[in-house]
Amino acid sequence: MRLSEPVVGVMTDFADVDDVGINSVRTRYLEALTQTAGVTPVLLPTTLRPAQIDSLIGERLDGILLTGASSNVHPARFSQALSFEERLTDTSRDDVAIEAILSSVKHCKPVFGICRGLQEVNVAFGGTLHQDLSKVPGAGVHHEDLGLPRNEQYGAAHTISLERQGSLFECVRNSGADIWVNSLHRQAIDQLGDGLTVEAVAPDGIIEAISATGTLAPVFAVQWHLEWFHDVDPVSRGLLCTFGRLCRFRAQRDAFFEDGQLAKTFRRTLAGL
């Protein structure tokens, strides 16, 4: 028996704590999904094998959320040598997250990426990343000040410019001219992946939001942490509610999704919700 709400798989992180492996996710993501998006989250451990991921997404889940993390995508994923400390990577997460993205596209399930999740989407579509923005000429400061209280770390850092013809613009068009976002990342998109389009940029040109145009599945991602103020920020609410509606739409029409025309209609709803 299905749950009344859509079921969304949430990517977890792997950490070794006192020689014990732990999979975890920050509670704020789960609160944003249950309270604002209106979906039921379930955790995706980094121990999943490709066949298990494909079975879960194809038969059980109505969408996936790729969370932010303190780790970075390993540059071997985009054919580069590692230029930062190995301890800042999480290759088991890389494996599961990228497999989950590809499976979701295959099964026409919505994908929403946040921070590291945006970077994972770009890499899954064949793109590359700046490994450290502090070494990129012309790039602003995008990482947080760890000496500040948490709420200040997640406070507004810079504005973004939305593509007026883009899908995300339609989701938040009533939020005002200036959209401020937080900034807590060192990696960022360098070369955009195939079939992806830029939805928003920061004043220094760093890509802040993307969506997939070459898939039937709705795939979109943002570089900032919208989960932190999901209950009070209108832009965060708009995007999370859109994701929830897309997952709900997908759950209700699961039996009809072999119809290619209906799948195309589903893909276009991202702009209309």
Side-chain angles (χ1 to χ4, degrees):
M1 183 173 67
R2 287 190 62 93
L3 294 173
S4 59
E5 293 181 337
V7 180
V8 169
V10 181
M11 194 62 233
T12 62
D13 305 314
F14 174 81
D16 189 309
V17 180
D18 295 329
D19 294 324
V20 177
I22 294 176
N23 274 146
S24 64
V25 63
R26 292 181 179 178
T27 303
R28 193 66 63 104
Y29 292 106
L30 307 180
E31 292 171 343
L33 289 173
T34 56
Q35 298 171 16
T36 299
V39 301
T40 298
V42 297
L43 304 190
L44 299 178
T46 60
T47 55
L48 290 174
R49 300 187 301 275
Q52 293 174 313
I53 296 167
D54 193 61
S55 176
L56 268 173
I57 291 173
E59 301 174 18
R60 304 290 182 89
L61 301 180
D62 302 307
I64 64 168
L65 176 76
L66 304 163
T67 61
S70 57
S71 64
N72 296 314
V73 177
H74 198 293
R77 283 286 179 177
F78 44 97
S79 303
Q80 292 183 13
L82 185 69
S83 66
F84 53 87
E85 295 181 63
E86 184 79 37
R87 66 180 179 82
L88 297 177
T89 64
D90 183 350
T91 55
S92 59
R93 166 164 173 158
D94 294 343
D95 293 342
V96 175
I98 291 175
E99 191 69 34
I101 293 165
L102 298 177
S103 179
S104 295
V105 169
K106 169 185 167 183
H107 293 290
C108 298
K109 300 292 178 77
V111 176
F112 189 14
I114 297 174
C115 199
R116 191 192 209 271
L118 172 138
Q119 296 153 15
E120 290 165 339
V121 168
N122 191 57
V123 170
F125 278 76
T128 65
L129 304 175
H130 294 296
Q131 293 190 45
D132 186 349
L133 280 179
S134 67
K135 299 178 181 178
V136 176
V141 176
H142 285 265
H143 59 272
E144 71 275 30
D145 182 347
L146 295 174
L148 295 175
R150 279 292 185 182
N151 271 0
E152 293 183 34
Q153 290 180 33
Y154 284 85
H158 60 74
T159 59
I160 58 170
S161 298
L162 291 174
E163 293 295 325
R164 297 187 68 84
Q165 302 304 315
S167 299
L168 298 193
F169 178 80
E170 292 296 324
C171 300
V172 298
R173 55 186 168 182
N174 297 321
S175 299
D178 292 329
I179 296 178
W180 285 83
V181 299
N182 52 35
S183 196
L184 299 92
H185 61 104
R186 290 187 179 273
Q187 288 190 323
I189 291 175
D190 183 7
Q191 296 297 316
L192 192 66
D194 296 335
L196 298 177
T197 186
V198 175
E199 293 277 354
V201 295
D204 58 2
I206 295 301
I207 296 172
E208 290 283 331
I210 57 175
S211 67
T213 54
T215 67
L216 297 178
V219 179
F220 59 112
V222 300
Q223 184 60 79
W224 66 95
H225 283 267
L226 56 72
E227 81 285 352
W228 198 258
F229 294 111
H230 70 92
D231 51 346
V232 294
D233 175 57
V235 172
S236 300
R237 290 188 63 82
L239 294 176
L240 284 163
C241 286
T242 295
F243 177 60
R245 289 173 183 171
L246 287 168
C247 293
R248 194 166 296 109
F249 187 103
R250 184 63 177 89
Q252 293 170 349
R253 288 156 177 79
D254 189 68
F256 305 101
F257 231 74
E258 292 183 2
D259 183 335
Q261 188 58 46
L262 181 57
K264 292 177 183 177
T265 301
F266 171 60
R267 174 64 185 82
R268 295 189 191 106
T269 58
L270 182 56
L273 288 174

